Amino acid sequence: MTRSTSTATEPELGPGPAMILAIGLALFALAGATYALSKLELGHWSVVVALAIAVLKAALVVLFFMELASHSGGAKTAVITAGLLLGLLITLTLTDVLLRFAPTVPPGFTPPTDPALPATLSRGPGDDEPVQAPSHAEQGPVLTP
Amino acid sequence: MRVEPAHAEHLAEHFGDREAQDTAARLGMWVFLATELLLFGGLFTSYAFYRSIYGESFVRAATQEMEVGIGTVNTFLLLGTSVLVALAVSFVRREHPVVAGLCLFLAIALGVAFLALKLLEYSHHAAHGALPGRWYRVWSDADRGAEIFILLYFLMTGLHAIHMTVGTCILTVLGFQCLGGKYSLAWHTPLEVGAMYWHFVDVVWIFLYPLFYLLSRR
C-alpha cells in the first residue's frame, strides 16, 4: 500500500496577490454601492438590494479568500447545509409572522394586517363566544421613563 | 510497507499522510464555522422577526442612534483586514513569510482600530441612554420596537466584537510565527484555518452593516 505524500504543486499556491487585491477592490466598490444605494428611495426594496449585495460580498470572501471552491466536498456540504438551515429557520419564522392566527399574537405586537380577514375570529363550530384579537388598549399600563 | 510522509514533524500519528491531516483540519474549521453561523443565525432570525413586526420603529431607532459614518469606516477597515489576511496566506505560499507577517500585523492594527471605533460608538450610545434592557432611557410609546432594536444591536455587534478580539489574538500569534519563519508553502495549515476564522468574522459584519446602519431610508 502506498500513501500519497504532500508535495508543493502549482494549484496549492491559491489566489495570487494581484487577484486578492482585485477582489478587495471589488469588495470596497460593493461596500460603497451599499452605502450609496441606501440614500435612494427604494422603499421596501432597499433591504432586498442591501442584502443581495451583502450575499455577493460574502460569496467573494468565502470562495476566494476562504478558498471553499478548492476544499473538500465535506467542507462544501457543511457550509451549504448550514446556510440552507439558516435560510429555512428565517423563512419559517417570517411565515409565522405573516400567517399567525390573530388571537395568539402576543400583546404589543402589531402583525401585518390582512384586510381580507375579519377582525373578530370564531374559535370554531360550537363556540358561541367569539375571540377578539388583542389590541393595544388591552396591554396594560405603558411604561414611562 | 511504511512510507515516511513529507514533513513528518507536523503529522499527527493517527493521520496517514499530510494531505489527509490538512483536509481534516480544513473540514474541522468549516464545521466549527457552520456552528458559528447557526449561533449568529439565531440572532439574525430574531432580527428578522422583530423587524417584520416593528419595521417603522427599527428605521426610526436606526436613524436616531446609529452613526453611519463610523459603521461605514469600520466596514472598509474590516474588508481591508480580510484582504491583508488573504495576502498573508498568499505570501507564505510564495515563500515570503516576513511579508506575510507584516500583512498580519497591519491587519491587526486595522482590527484594533475597528474595535476602538466600536467602543467610541458604544460610549455615544451610553451617553444618549440607548442601552439594552433596563438601562434603556430613550423610551417612546410610539416606538415600542426601538428598545428591541438597540438590544439586538448590542447583542449582535457585541458578539461580533468578542469574535474580533479572539481573532486579533489568533492573528497576533500567527504573525509572530510568520516572522519566525515557522510557515512555508510546504506547511502553513494553522495560518490557513486561522485566516478562515478571520474571514468569517468579516462575513458576519458584511451583513450587520446594512441591517443596523443603513435603515435611514426604506
Side-chain angles (χ1 to χ4, degrees), chain A residues 4 15 43-44 67 71 79 143, chain B residues 17 30 90 93 139 141 218:
Chain A
S4 65
H44 291 289
E67 301 176 1
H71 287 181
V79 174
L143 294 173
Chain B
D17 54 39
W30 278 117
S90 183
R93 287 172 178 165
W139 173 261
D141 190 38
R218 298 182 72 203

Side-chain angles (χ1 to χ4, degrees), chain A residues 29-56:
Chain A
L30 287 169
T34 307
Y35 177 77
L37 287 170
S38 73
K39 297 293 178 189
L40 301 178
E41 289 285 0
L42 297 176
H44 291 289
W45 284 101
S46 66
V47 67
V48 177
V49 171
L51 287 178
I53 295 175
V55 167
L56 185 57

Side-chain angles (χ1 to χ4, degrees), chain A residues 4 12-17 20 39 41 43-44 54 66-67 71 75 79 86 89-90 93 97 108-109 142-143, chain B residues 17 19 26-27 30 33 41 45 48-49 52 54 68 76 83 86 90 93-94 139 141 185 196 199 206 214 217-218:
Chain A
S4 65
E12 291 180 10
L13 288 174
I20 289 168
K39 297 293 178 189
E41 289 285 0
H44 291 289
M66 300 172 86
E67 301 176 1
H71 287 181
V79 174
L86 177 58
L89 179 65
I90 292 177
T93 303
V97 173
F109 285 2
V142 173
L143 294 173
Chain B
D17 54 39
E19 189 179 344
R26 292 188 200 103
L27 176 60
W30 278 117
L33 294 181
T45 305
F49 176 74
S52 66
Y54 295 123
V68 181
F76 283 99
V83 172
S90 183
R93 287 172 178 165
R94 284 156 181 80
W139 173 261
D141 190 38
L185 171 63
M196 286 167 65
H199 293 312
I206 282 173
L214 301 181
R217 294 172 188 271
R218 298 182 72 203

Side-chain angles (χ1 to χ4, degrees), chain B residues 25-145:
Chain B
R26 292 188 200 103
L27 176 60
M29 179 50 87
W30 278 117
V31 171
F32 169 70
L33 294 181
T35 65
E36 286 272 36
L37 178 64
L38 297 180
L39 166 66
F40 278 98
L43 292 169
F44 277 108
T45 305
S46 297
Y47 177 95
F49 176 74
Y50 284 110
R51 181 167 172 176
S52 66
I53 293 167
Y54 295 123
E56 295 295 334
S57 291
F58 270 41
V59 171
R60 275 196 290 274
T63 307
Q64 290 168 11
E65 306 298 343
M66 294 298 103
E67 300 193 28
V68 181
I70 290 181
T72 305
V73 169
N74 268 350
T75 300
F76 283 99
L77 284 177
L78 207 46
L79 289 175
T81 63
S82 256
V83 172
L84 287 165
V85 170
L87 282 173
V89 175
S90 183
F91 279 124
V92 159
R93 287 172 178 165
R94 284 156 181 80
E95 306 295 1
H96 299 299
V98 175
V99 181
L102 294 177
C103 285
L104 288 179
F105 281 107
L106 188 52
I108 291 164
L110 296 185
V112 170
F114 176 102
L115 289 171
L117 283 172
K118 200 76 221 144
L119 278 177
L120 176 69
E121 198 180 4
Y122 281 166
S123 71
H124 292 170
H125 297 319
H128 193 233
L131 289 169
R134 63 169 59 183
W135 297 277
Y136 188 68
R137 291 290 178 271
V138 284
W139 173 261
S140 161
D141 190 38
D143 280 333
R144 290 167 178 272

